[in-house]
């Protein structure tokens, strides 16, 4: 074997061949949505201050929230909140010692991802129906 050349291969999984498992991606998304919720809470504080400061402040707040950019931020905040909740339920299930099989992990993650998207859309549709549509 002295004359054979050793195979050159990466010592760790290379980016071109490594596949990120879905549970790992959703774990990262859970952390990212947690950070997003932290910054999104600024909107809640702004709303509370606007309510307490009178009609002028409240008018500026609602003007922003009713803009397309404000609605986009609110939609993202809603999804982050629901996605984070589904991730928390998934972690709670894992805390009970269940859901650690490969198929169970994938199923829980897919339910959380699809469920958070559907729940966000349903919540917004119901909100528009109750509030009478876009203003």
């Amino acid at each position: 074997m002295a004359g054979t050349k050793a195979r050159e291969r990466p010592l760790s999984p290379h980016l071109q061949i490594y596949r990120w498992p879905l549970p790992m991606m959703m774990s990262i998304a859970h952390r990212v949505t947690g950070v997003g919720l932290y910054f999104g809470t600024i909107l809640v504080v702004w709303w509370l201050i606007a309510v307490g400061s009178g009609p002028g402040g409240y008018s500026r707040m609602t003007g922003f929230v009713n803009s397309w950019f404000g609605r986009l931020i609110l939609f993202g905040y809603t999804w982050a909140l629901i996605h984070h909740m589904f991730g928390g339920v998934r972690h709670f299930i894992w805390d009970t010692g269940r859901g650690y099989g490969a198929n169970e992990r994938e199923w829980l993650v897919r339910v959380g991802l699809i469920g958070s998207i559907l729940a966000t859309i349903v919540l917004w549709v119901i909100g528009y129906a109750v509030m009478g549509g876009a203003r």
Side-chain angles (χ1 to χ4, degrees):
M1 292 271 182
T4 62
K5 185 179 176 182
R7 277 182 82 186
E8 293 182 25
R9 61 182 187 175
L11 297 177
S12 62
H14 194 268
L15 292 176
Q16 293 174 338
I17 60 172
Y18 186 72
R19 180 183 157 269
W20 282 27
L22 190 58
M24 183 179 75
M25 288 189 290
M26 289 302 103
S27 179
I28 293 168
H30 184 76
R31 288 168 173 79
V32 170
T33 57
V35 171
L37 291 173
Y38 175 79
F39 288 107
T41 304
I42 293 170
L43 288 174
V44 176
V45 171
W46 183 19
W47 177 74
L48 289 171
I49 291 170
V51 167
S53 67
Y58 188 72
S59 176
R60 284 188 294 278
M61 169 62 176
T62 57
F64 172 75
V65 169
N66 288 328
S67 71
W68 69 269
F69 186 66
R71 296 283 170 120
L72 182 65
I73 289 175
L74 284 177
F75 187 83
Y77 185 74
T78 306
W79 175 78
L81 183 63
I82 294 172
H83 184 268
H84 200 77
M85 180 196 67
F86 272 87
V89 169
R90 183 180 74 239
H91 282 272
F92 179 73
I93 291 170
W94 288 343
D95 287 345
T96 66
R98 294 176 177 85
Y100 282 113
N103 291 334
E104 293 169 317
R105 276 194 322 265
E106 289 285 326
W107 185 82
L108 283 171
V109 167
R110 289 179 194 277
V111 165
L113 180 61
I114 294 168
S116 66
I117 293 168
L118 290 176
T120 301
I121 292 169
V122 166
L123 186 65
W124 273 72
V125 167
I126 290 171
Y128 266 88
V130 169
M131 298 300 290
R135 295 178 190 207

